Amino acid sequence: MSQSNTFDPRHRSRALLDGPDRAVARGMLKAVGLGDGDLRKPQIGVAHCWIGTMPCNLNHRALAAQVMEGIRAAGGTPLEINTVAINDGITTGTEGMKTSLVSREVIADSVELVARGHLLDALVVIAGCDKTIPAMAMALGRLDLPGVLLYSGSIASGACHGPNRLFGDRKLTIQDLYEAIGAFNAGHIDEREFKDVEDHACPGAGACGGQFTANTMATACEMLGLSPMGINGIPALEDGKDASARACGQMVMNLLRAGVTPRSLVTRRSMENAITGVMATGGSSNAVLHLLAIAREFGVELAIDDFDTISRRTPVLADMRPWGNYTAPEMHAAGGMPVVGKRLLQAGLLHPLERTVTGHTLGDEITRAHEPAGQQVIRPLAQPLKPEGGLAILRGNLAPGGCVIKLSGQTKDTHRGPARVFEREEDAFEAIKAGVIQPGDVMVLRNEGPRGGPGMREMQLVTGALQGVGLGDTVALVTDGRFSGASRGFVIGHVVPEAADGGPIAVVREGDPLRIDVPSRRLDLEIPQAQLQERLDAWRPGPAATGATGVLAKYARLVRDASQGAVTSA
């Protein structure tokens, strides 16, 4: 752990709290319950995203109390910080979803502001739902204060209470609820079974329980070295979560005394470790956006094509929902990311000497992996689920700046069909409900990008509906928006340039032939180049997106494209 023998644990707070001239600051802090002894200790922020609108972050206050107990025991003074969160599942399919990705920037900004304004010496950040994890990591990169990231954990799987036809034997996650919508609308399940899934898919606190975006980013932060290896995998309400939170409070004090900061841990090599972990677990396509954004805040050079390079050499080892068989709590019971890391290390696919917040290297942490006998979730290296990773980067005349396809669980790697063009997600969803989408079609959803939405909504309502009506294997979907980590099917998102920027997706017409060729990493509109150029030359921007006022208008002015992580920072 040793980095500096001369690092001052009160390297920032002295300027705020020491000396006669700072009596006002001390007096106000005494009003919130601090004493002279507390003010002479390092001031440690404990930032979390508790909010009463979702299950994902519902245990943050309780975990923060445990973190603060660990900080006090190790000689620091904890200061609790709360910020906002937006739930993707609740807002999906509505205008509210436009705020989700925007919240990543707001959360990072808010934690940064408090830490800078109150001259905090170190931070423990607690994250839960999808955008809060990258946001907290981004804040650590910006501030470069000694810090630890704790994921508040996965929700337990649910179970139907009746002997239902389609969903009765499943370990339910939010994915099943999306697909139940499509199944109900198609008449495949009755109202009683639909209500049974709705009532029991989400049994308590915790983030969505597959290798969806939250769990993908939680495991990525372990591989990055910002979280202790294996600790994020502990489910939200499982025994051991409180002890892990207290350990994070003590750990941040060790980092502070040694002067170890996040930028000394997160390097190009540790970013490659994180991407490798995402690919090996069939993780969410949102990881591309978020890891690009995190790398930018840490000053690490990372490009969208790096994800494809790493994916081509990384096997899929974890049999995880949404495309596989097991939930996140089952992954934890099977040994979690330490066991995945052990496989990857054996294959020579990791940089084992990268340091972590524990004071040990990633390789050291992985050697401590405990693998229960007979576990079925994480495959042996010689028997991968797929020989290459779960994501690929495509280019072509429809996405010259790149796009992302999720390959986990896919058996086909090409698709050709006529374009069915939609200007917004709601219209595409209604088309599926009306039965007008046919096998072989390519649904094109545009004006859903970071600027055009604005906000880059997830198309989870559409992908769930396709699965529910039985079209998930025969219909492709292409969008300048993005997908939930719970999405499955032949789906392509993050098309750059987006329609609002005059990208080729803006000029696709109904019935145009589109071809997706994964082996060649191509996404093409199959019309003559001269015809495509003529359409592009004639294209003119449409009116500003409806409702683009306030924070959404500000975001649309500042945001960079998806291949740059959809960040708003300079």
Side-chain angles (χ1 to χ4, degrees):
M1 176 68 70
S2 61
Q3 178 159 327
S4 170
N5 294 325
T6 60
F7 192 82
D8 178 10
R10 296 191 60 217
H11 61 124
R12 290 166 57 81
S13 62
R14 288 188 191 279
L16 189 78
L17 299 174
D18 288 6
D21 294 345
R22 303 308 306 160
V24 172
R26 293 193 299 273
M28 295 194 78
L29 287 167
K30 288 176 181 179
V32 302
L34 299 185
D36 288 330
D38 300 315
L39 299 175
R40 286 193 289 267
K41 296 175 182 177
Q43 306 293 295
I44 316 299
V46 180
H48 61 78
C49 305
W50 184 90
I51 194 166
T53 58
M54 64 179 80
C56 314
N57 307 330
L58 204 58
N59 61 339
H60 280 201
R61 279 176 170 171
L63 288 177
Q66 298 296 325
V67 170
M68 291 190 289
E69 183 178 313
I71 290 169
R72 290 189 192 98
T77 296
L79 297 167
E80 189 175 5
I81 302 165
N82 178 233
T83 187
V84 300
I86 303 292
N87 184 278
D88 293 19
I90 293 170
T91 59
T92 287
T94 72
E95 290 291 303
M97 176 47 119
K98 293 183 177 182
T99 64
S100 173
L101 187 58
V102 179
S103 75
R104 187 190 71 183
E105 311 303 300
V106 174
I107 294 162
D109 289 352
S110 63
V111 174
E112 177 193 2
L113 280 171
V114 175
R116 289 190 190 279
H118 284 259
L119 299 183
L120 299 176
D121 296 306
L123 277 171
V124 176
V125 293
I126 304 173
C129 59
D130 297 14
K131 308 309 169 293
T132 65
I133 305 171
M136 290 298 192
M138 291 162 67
L140 291 179
R142 290 181 192 176
L143 293 161
D144 202 31
L145 299 175
V148 178
L149 189 152
L150 172 64
Y151 174 50
S152 53
S154 171
I155 195 172
S157 58
C160 286
H161 285 199
N164 296 316
R165 186 157 53 98
L166 288 183
F167 295 91
D169 296 329
R170 298 191 192 184
K171 290 183 173 67
L172 297 178
T173 70
I174 194 71
Q175 171 192 353
D176 298 289
L177 193 44
Y178 281 118
E179 294 180 12
I181 295 171
F184 177 71
N185 287 329
H188 296 164
I189 60 175
D190 60 22
E191 186 174 356
R192 179 191 57 79
E193 183 170 356
F194 186 30
K195 185 70 160 53
D196 199 355
V197 178
E198 176 184 330
D199 288 348
H200 304 116
C202 302
C208 298
Q211 195 65 347
F212 310 150
T213 305
N215 283 307
T216 296
M217 293 309 302
T219 53
C221 285
E222 291 182 359
M223 300 294 277
L224 269 178
L226 291 176
S227 299
M229 176 59 71
I231 210 167
N232 285 349
I234 302 171
L237 299 181
E238 185 169 304
D239 291 344
K241 201 68 185 182
D242 285 354
S244 71
R246 289 193 296 274
C248 286
Q250 295 169 335
M251 193 175 297
V252 78
M253 294 303 297
N254 294 336
L255 292 166
L256 177 59
R257 292 187 177 104
V260 176
T261 65
R263 286 195 172 205
S264 71
L265 302 176
V266 174
T267 66
R268 166 68 190 212
R269 292 180 297 277
S270 59
M271 291 298 306
E272 291 180 359
N273 287 341
I275 296 170
T276 301
V278 169
M279 299 305 173
T281 57
S284 169
S285 56
N286 282 314
V288 178
L289 279 178
H290 297 327
L291 288 172
L292 286 168
I294 292 168
R296 187 179 189 89
E297 301 294 0
F298 277 85
V300 174
E301 290 292 328
L302 190 69
I304 189 172
D305 292 318
D306 293 323
F307 290 81
D308 198 73
T309 300
I310 294 171
S311 183
R312 286 178 182 267
R313 69 189 185 218
T314 307
V316 178
L317 299 171
D319 186 4
M320 297 286 289
R321 304 282 300 272
W323 55 272
N325 294 303
Y326 297 100
T327 62
E330 291 171 297
M331 167 87 158
H332 171 65
M337 281 308 287
V339 173
V340 174
K342 181 172 71 173
R343 303 275 199 275
L344 296 171
L345 195 57
Q346 290 170 348
L349 295 173
L350 294 180
H351 303 286
L353 299 182
E354 295 309 294
R355 297 189 304 151
T356 75
V357 289
T358 66
H360 302 290
T361 67
L362 184 70
D364 289 337
E365 293 293 328
I366 286 169
T367 61
R368 297 177 172 84
H370 170 69
E371 182 173 353
Q375 68 84 15
Q376 300 294 312
V377 183
I378 304 164
R379 292 288 188 89
L381 194 58
Q383 299 173 6
L385 290 147
K386 292 177 75 74
E388 295 187 359
L391 301 172
I393 307 302
L394 311 184
R395 293 185 184 266
N397 70 4
L398 195 58
C403 61
V404 182
I405 184 170
K406 192 169 185 177
L407 301 175
S408 306
Q410 286 297 330
T411 55
K412 68 177 183 177
D413 56 14
T414 60
H415 184 99
R416 186 180 187 277
R420 307 301 304 276
V421 181
F422 302 92
E423 307 298 338
R424 57 201 292 269
E425 181 190 13
E426 290 87 342
D427 296 338
F429 179 62
E430 290 301 323
I432 297 169
K433 286 177 64 176
V436 300
I437 303 300
Q438 300 299 314
D441 286 348
V442 181
M443 298 182 72
V444 178
L445 279 66
R446 63 191 179 202
N447 296 309
E448 294 285 5
R451 180 169 291 108
M456 203 178 184
R457 290 194 291 182
E458 290 180 345
M459 304 294 108
Q460 175 62 23
L461 201 61
V462 175
T463 58
L466 286 173
Q467 294 292 335
V469 300
L471 292 171
D473 294 330
T474 58
V475 170
L477 197 160
V478 176
T479 181
D480 52 9
R482 58 192 178 90
F483 296 104
S484 164
S487 293
R488 59 190 178 116
F490 209 63
V491 296
I492 296 171
H494 308 198
V495 170
V496 174
E498 62 173 292
D501 289 335
I505 193 172
V507 299
V508 177
R509 296 178 182 172
E510 188 79 9
D512 280 346
L514 271 68
R515 181 170 179 80
I516 303 161
D517 187 336
V518 176
S520 299
R521 298 300 199 259
R522 298 283 304 185
L523 172 63
D524 289 299
L525 177 61
E526 292 189 318
I527 64 174
Q529 180 60 34
Q531 184 180 354
L532 175 58
Q533 190 59 54
E534 182 179 338
R535 292 186 189 179
L536 290 170
D537 290 343
W539 178 84
R540 296 293 181 271
T546 302
T549 59
V551 67
L552 293 181
K554 184 191 300 183
Y555 181 83
R557 287 196 302 271
L558 296 174
V559 70
R560 296 172 182 261
D561 66 50
S563 290
Q564 299 181 74
V567 297
T568 57
S569 55

